[in-house]
Each structure stands twice: as C-alpha cells, then as structure tokens.
Amino acid sequence: MIIKKPTADQAFIESNVAKRFSPLARQMLAASGPIVSSAAAGMTNGFSAILLPQLQQPDSRFTITEEQSSWIASMAPLPMAAGCIIGGLLMERFGRKSAHLLLNVSFAIGWCALSMAQSYPQILIGRFITGFSCGLVGPPASVYIAETSDPRYRGILLAGVTFAVSGGILLAHLFGTFFRWQTAALLCSLFMILAYLLMLVSPESPSWLLGRGELQRAETAFRWLRGYGPESRSEFEAMVARSTIGRSQEKPSEGGGRGQEEEEEHATSPYRRREFLMPLATLFVFFATMQFSGVNIVAFYSISLMRTTIGSDGLNEYLAMLIVDLVRVFTSLLACVLLRSVGRRPLAMASGIGTTVSLIGLSIFLYFQTSIPLYRNYSSLSLIFLISYIVFVGIGLFPLPWCMTGEIFPVVTRGLGSGLTSSFNFVCFFAVIKTGPTLFAAVGTNGTFLVYGVISLLGTLLLYVLLPETKNRTLAEIEDQFRAGRQRSAKVLPTVTTVSAGVA
C-alpha cells in the first residue's frame, strides 16, 4: 500500500487531530476557511443595499447622485473578473492554501478602507478592493473544497459556499440595519481574521501537491483529511497512478511505445481537449443563466426593489428585505441537503423551471398591480412571488455552477478553467448590476422580471442538453465522463469505477 503508518515526527498531528476527530470533521474544518471567505463575498454583494440608502439620507456626511449610486453598486463587480483570473493563477502557482491566505489579507484591507472612507472616491476604492477580493475567492474556494472532500460529502460541502454567500448578505443587511455603514464595514473585516486562522491549520490540497511531484506531503495531507480506510487508500493510489501517468506524458517520447491515436492526444494541448472545452462551455451557459435571471439584482437593490414591489403603503421595506434574506439563507441550507441526496441534473431542471414560472408570474402580477387599482392593496402577494423566485433560484441555479466549478475540470486545467468561468460569471454580474436600473426605467419592474424569466427559460433548455450528472463521482471519473461525452458516459463509468470501487 502507498499510505504508510505515521512516523515519530508526525505523532503530534496524528494524536491531536487525526485521531481525535473523524475524517468528515477534518474535511469540514478544511472547508470552513473557504466558506467563511465566501461569506465575506456575500457581505460585499449585500453591502450596497445598506450603504446607498444611508448615503442618501439628509444627515449623511456627503451626498451622492443617482449616477454615483450606480457606480458604487457596480464598482464591486467590476474587478471581480480580473480577480478570478488572478485567483486561478495564484492557486496554480503557489497552492490552494496560500491563495486563500493572500485573499483573506486583501479582503481585510478592503473592508478597513471602507470603514475609514470619508468621500465618494474613497468608497469606490474600498468597493473596488473588496470586489477584487471576491473574484480572488471564487476559484480557490470551490477547487480546494472539491479536492479535499470525499465524493460522498463533496456536494454538501461545496453547497456550503453558496450558503455562506447568502448568510453574508443577511449579515451585511443586519449590520446596516442596526449600525452606520462604517461600523458595518469594520464588523465585516473581523470575519477575515477567522478565515485566515482556519486556513492556517488546514492542509494543502493533495491533488495540487501530487501535480507538483511532492508525494510525501500529498500523502500526509490526504491521510490528515481522509484517514486510513480502505476506500481512501484505494482512491489515493488511483490519484498517484493518474498523477504519475500525467507527468510522464508531459515528457518527450523516447520511442514508439504509443499508438497513433494516443500520440495525437498527447500532442494536443490540454486546453484544446474535450474534457476542458465541454466543462468550459457548460459553465459559461450555467453562469450566464444564473446571472441574467436577476439573482443578484435583489441583493444589490434590495430596499429600492422592496419599495417598488410591496408599495409605499405595504410592509416596511427593511423588514421585507430581512424576510427575503432569511428565505435566501434557508433556501441555501435546503440546497445543501438537496445536493447530498439529489442529482445535479434534476435539481438544475427543477430550479430552472421554477425560476422561470416565478419570474413570469411576478411580472404578470406586478403589471395588474400597477394597472388595476383593485390589486394595489395586495402587495404581500408580490412578496410571495418574489420569495418563490428566491427559493427556486437558490436551490439550483445559484449554488450548482459554483459547486461544479471545482469538480468538472481536469486537475491540469483546473486553475485556468475555474478562473475563466468564475471571471465570466462576474462579467455577467457587472453587466446585470450596471444595466439593472436602466432596464427598470425603460420597461418597468414587471417588464424587467419578464426579460429575466425568458432568459431563465432559454438557459434551462440549453442546460438540459449540456449538463452531465456528477453526483457521487470521483474527480477522475468526472474527467473521463467529459472525455467520452455525456451520452457515452454510462458505458465508460462502470469501467472507471472499478479503479476506485466503493469511493462513490
């Protein structure tokens, strides 16, 4: 067996961590650092909803125009795309753990800059840094959790990222409800200290270490995470064998030991192969569908949207905002449970159809509410439609692409692939947030929701064609599945599964 018993110099780690806590507990500890960092990303998304109303109050230290409000809201998404690319490069060059430590420092600097801002330009600087840090956390969080978790628990741990984002939005709104925005920003910065400490005690990704040829460190990290069980031993041996083959293929061939088809595959760049291009296209469609269904409009413009949806005589808009936030958090928790028990494809289809119906239904009801006086007193019904939308988008369209970012790319292209798809997500994010007010002004709130509903429908149809099933499959099996194609994967996977029997 490859996995050896611990040596004397490893006794402290084994006795105080590995033997006191189960492998699942250790995997949860490793995932907690990226999850807390993701909560800071949610705080960034929700911060403008409490920042803008306070800046527009008469007692504000300085006033802002509508154009400046738009730039404050969209300044965070603007650098997220660049942050994703850099985050992907950092985790490939320096490791998943080191990338997380760096982004936590960057996040803390951004929140502190916001808490000390005394002018409009200083607010933009703080928003830019926190937005850039949001981009940095995108690729490493999903990839690190995917590479350090058991296939049986990978779905629920990856869903913890989107749960943390939803929780971060709620926390930002709570801080802004009871404190001034400067104090709220300072409170948000405290979470980065916790995330940094959690990452310090977590190991580096075994997959990354194997890719670097550091077998002993990879073995130690894998054992820390997964223990000595026969399933984990078999999986690590398969990982080592696959890594050895991958490194040998990178060396020039010294003889005619390969067939023509194998030589052609070897000569092709890994970034031009099917197992990279198909996940890339699938996630591009997934992220575009998620963003252009308006998922972040509600978070960024919560209070102003509540005033339009429930009317000035309806519920208090801050109370309605917190209700929506609580529903979002509950839905993210529900998504964690569903991802543990339901496949990716059926969950994506149910979420897409429910989101489409909710958006179109909300659009139709808002049209009647604004056109027929009889319906103006039923503002709570608009809130029900909005909550229905948040529930359906939260169980699938929102968490699934982030979950799959860390699991569907081959290890050799995982850094760039996750960086590109996360970057594309934030480009769409910026486009939606920046054009949202213009769209609301041009076609009204009901027309905007109708546009988002149509996009959700079209995206769901494309996902029905492209999206494979990855639940309970090892990362190696998912790579082989994309290489063979979704329609032929049923014939390929039984053969692959024998390599790591029992793991899935």
Side-chain angles (χ1 to χ4, degrees):
M1 290 293 180
I2 295 176
I3 298 183
K4 302 178 286 295
K5 292 296 182 182
T7 57
D9 61 339
Q10 298 168 335
F12 177 80
I13 295 178
E14 295 299 333
S15 62
N16 289 277
V17 179
K19 291 186 177 179
R20 284 191 181 183
F21 302 99
S22 67
L24 176 58
R26 283 174 264 148
Q27 292 169 45
M28 292 174 64
L29 174 63
S32 59
I35 287 174
V36 174
S37 299
S38 300
M43 294 173 191
T44 302
N45 293 347
F47 194 73
S48 63
I50 57 100
L51 172 63
L52 296 180
Q54 291 190 22
L55 291 177
Q56 293 165 352
Q57 290 177 355
D59 60 345
S60 176
R61 293 182 180 180
F62 53 90
T63 59
I64 57 173
T65 64
E66 288 297 326
E67 179 66 19
Q68 289 174 332
S69 296
S70 173
W71 275 109
I72 289 175
S74 58
M75 183 54 66
L78 181 62
M80 288 180 183
C84 285
I85 298 296
I86 295 176
L89 295 176
L90 283 175
M91 72 175 183
E92 286 300 325
R93 177 66 179 85
F94 301 106
R96 284 43 164 159
K97 178 177 178 177
S98 299
H100 274 98
L101 295 175
L102 288 172
L103 69 89
N104 288 329
V105 174
S106 174
F107 247 137
I109 293 173
W111 285 118
C112 290
L114 266 177
S115 68
M116 296 183 292
Q118 299 293 328
S119 64
Y120 169 69
Q122 291 175 354
I123 290 177
L124 291 183
I125 291 173
R127 290 285 289 168
F128 185 91
I129 297 175
T130 53
F132 179 75
S133 303
C134 271
L136 288 179
V137 77
S142 297
V143 170
Y144 181 79
I145 293 175
E147 292 181 349
T148 57
S149 57
D150 189 292
R152 293 170 295 182
Y153 311 121
R154 189 175 64 232
I156 190 170
L157 291 176
L158 283 170
V161 171
T162 52
F163 173 73
V165 172
S166 300
I169 295 174
L170 172 61
L171 284 174
H173 290 171
L174 281 173
F175 293 158
T177 300
F178 297 104
F179 304 101
R180 296 294 300 174
W181 59 269
Q182 294 97 332
T183 305
L186 185 61
L187 291 173
C188 292
S189 69
L190 299 179
F191 284 81
M192 308 324 303
I193 300 176
L194 175 61
Y196 190 91
L197 294 176
L198 289 170
M199 285 307 304
L200 276 180
V201 300
S202 300
E204 181 54 87
S205 162
S207 297
W208 184 80
L209 291 171
L210 280 176
R212 306 268 296 182
E214 301 183 38
L215 178 60
Q216 184 174 359
R217 286 184 62 197
E219 180 181 343
T220 302
F222 191 88
R223 180 174 63 245
W224 191 95
L225 291 161
R226 306 287 286 277
Y228 292 97
E231 294 180 358
S232 62
R233 292 189 183 210
S234 298
E235 184 179 355
F236 185 73
E237 290 177 355
M239 288 172 59
V240 172
R242 198 178 189 90
S243 176
T244 303
I245 294 173
R247 289 199 306 273
S248 66
Q249 288 179 345
E250 293 175 0
K251 299 179 182 179
S253 177
E254 297 179 358
R258 293 189 179 96
Q260 181 178 358
E261 183 177 347
E262 188 176 354
E263 287 286 356
E264 291 177 357
E265 182 178 354
H266 170 66
T268 304
S269 168
Y271 299 104
R272 298 175 60 186
R273 296 174 186 168
R274 179 185 180 90
E275 58 266 31
F276 173 74
L277 296 177
M278 286 304 297
L280 191 71
T282 301
L283 285 179
F284 275 177
V285 172
F286 219 148
F287 276 122
T289 303
M290 183 257 283
Q291 290 294 348
F292 284 98
S293 65
V295 63
N296 283 301
I297 284 290
V298 177
F300 267 63
Y301 297 102
S302 294
I303 293 178
S304 59
L305 186 59
M306 288 301 134
R307 289 171 181 164
T308 303
T309 304
I310 67 178
S312 58
D313 297 328
L315 296 172
N316 178 274
E317 60 267 16
Y318 281 90
L319 176 60
M321 177 186 69
L322 294 178
I323 291 174
V324 169
D325 288 342
L326 288 172
V327 171
R328 185 186 291 111
V329 171
F330 173 78
T331 302
S332 299
L333 185 60
L334 177 63
C336 294
V337 177
L338 291 176
L339 283 169
R340 178 74 176 90
S341 56
V342 181
R344 311 294 196 252
R345 276 181 59 81
L347 194 57
M349 294 302 103
S351 175
I353 294 172
T355 298
T356 300
V357 172
S358 298
L359 284 170
I360 294 178
L362 178 59
S363 171
I364 294 173
F365 186 82
L366 284 176
Y367 172 78
F368 283 108
Q369 184 180 352
T370 55
S371 303
I372 303 176
L374 178 62
Y375 288 93
R376 292 178 183 174
N377 295 326
Y378 295 91
S379 58
S380 58
L381 293 179
S382 297
L383 188 60
I384 291 175
F385 276 105
L386 189 60
I387 289 174
S388 171
Y389 159 68
I390 292 172
V391 169
F392 278 110
V393 79
I395 63 172
L397 290 184
F398 184 53
L400 279 175
W402 287 114
C403 292
M404 300 185 74
T405 296
E407 64 180 10
I408 66 175
F409 286 106
V411 65
V412 68
T413 60
R414 194 166 292 151
L416 182 61
S418 60
L420 285 175
T421 51
S422 301
S423 178
F424 176 77
N425 166 71
F426 287 120
V427 169
C428 296
F429 188 175
F430 173 76
V432 171
I433 297 302
K434 193 69 178 73
T435 59
T438 303
L439 193 59
F440 281 121
V443 298
T445 305
N446 61 297
T448 301
F449 283 126
L450 180 61
V451 171
Y452 293 155
V454 171
I455 293 175
S456 174
L457 175 62
L458 296 176
T460 302
L461 293 176
L462 284 174
L463 289 174
Y464 179 79
V465 176
L466 294 173
L467 190 67
E469 184 56 71
T470 62
K471 179 179 179 290
N472 287 347
R473 291 172 181 170
T474 66
L475 301 182
E477 290 172 351
I478 295 172
E479 179 180 344
D480 291 332
Q481 180 181 5
F482 272 107
R483 181 182 294 114
R486 185 166 69 86
Q487 298 300 329
R488 293 186 292 158
S489 62
K491 300 178 181 179
V492 176
L493 283 174
T495 304
V496 177
T497 307
T498 59
V499 177
S500 55
V503 175

